[in-house]
Amino acid sequence: RRAGQWTGTWTLVCVVAMAAAACSGDPNDPRTWAKKLKDLRGQREALERLANMDTDRAKAALPELIELYRDTRNPDHLNALVRFKAKETEPLFIEALEFSDSPETIDRAAIAAGALGEMKSESAIDALTKTADKQLPIKSRGNIVRLAAIRALVK
């Protein structure tokens, strides 16, 4: 009788383990991590896992990454889009070139200028030129954006 109880318990443990594994998804599937981008607790891990994946494979999560950036306007989330060099990210990068004195907007604009240069985006030439021509005080931190825009135009 004890052997039967042990087998039943072991079966229950296996079923619970398989159910838990099914809920968490495949850790090598970008869709698994894309679903976790909205969860504040799992977001950092999801971003790291996607960053460590092959670019072509991780591209499946691009719509969710774009949505995450649109929701947060976080420079780190914008930076997560850079490596894809995807046409659908160009408008986001061009929009992010607009900056003020806040460190967050400056960081976004510098990331965006660098990304547009790497993409060799012809549609961003006017926006990059406008950014490079922006008159700022000599000690303004925003000059790093102007420099990044000049570098992007050179590329």
Side-chain angles (χ1 to χ4, degrees):
R1 185 167 177 130
R2 287 200 185 263
Q5 287 177 334
W6 178 250
T7 304
T9 303
W10 182 248
T11 303
L12 181 62
V13 167
C14 288
V15 169
V16 170
M18 288 188 328
C23 292
S24 65
D26 179 2
N28 296 317
D29 181 10
R31 305 297 315 150
T32 297
W33 299 109
K35 292 174 190 172
K36 295 184 180 190
L37 289 171
K38 292 271 186 187
D39 175 24
L40 291 178
R41 291 181 193 201
Q43 189 178 83
R44 175 180 235 94
E45 182 183 9
L47 287 167
E48 287 174 9
R49 292 288 190 126
L50 289 168
N52 290 326
M53 271 184 201
D54 176 65
T55 304
D56 290 333
R57 183 180 188 121
K59 202 168 197 169
L62 191 58
E64 288 84 357
L65 287 166
I66 290 171
E67 184 180 345
L68 178 65
Y69 170 71
R70 283 190 176 139
D71 289 347
T72 65
R73 299 288 191 229
N74 183 320
D76 292 334
H77 299 160
L78 184 65
N79 201 33
L81 296 169
V82 172
R83 74 185 185 122
F84 296 104
K85 297 181 185 174
K87 225 20 171 169
E88 55 266 49
T89 60
E90 278 186 36
L92 292 175
F93 292 131
I94 291 170
E95 179 186 310
L97 288 174
E98 293 293 322
F99 67 97
S100 62
D101 289 336
S102 80
E104 188 172 87
T105 63
I106 290 171
D107 290 345
R108 280 196 311 250
I111 290 166
L116 291 166
E118 289 297 316
M119 294 169 73
K120 298 182 183 354
S121 172
E122 291 183 22
S123 62
I125 291 174
D126 290 339
L128 287 166
T129 303
K130 181 181 170 188
T131 301
D133 288 342
K134 192 170 184 176
Q135 296 299 309
L136 298 170
I138 193 92
K139 291 187 177 188
S140 171
R141 187 168 180 260
N143 284 313
I144 65 169
V145 177
R146 291 183 62 215
L147 185 57
I150 292 167
R151 287 183 178 141
L153 288 166
V154 168
K155 289 182 178 184

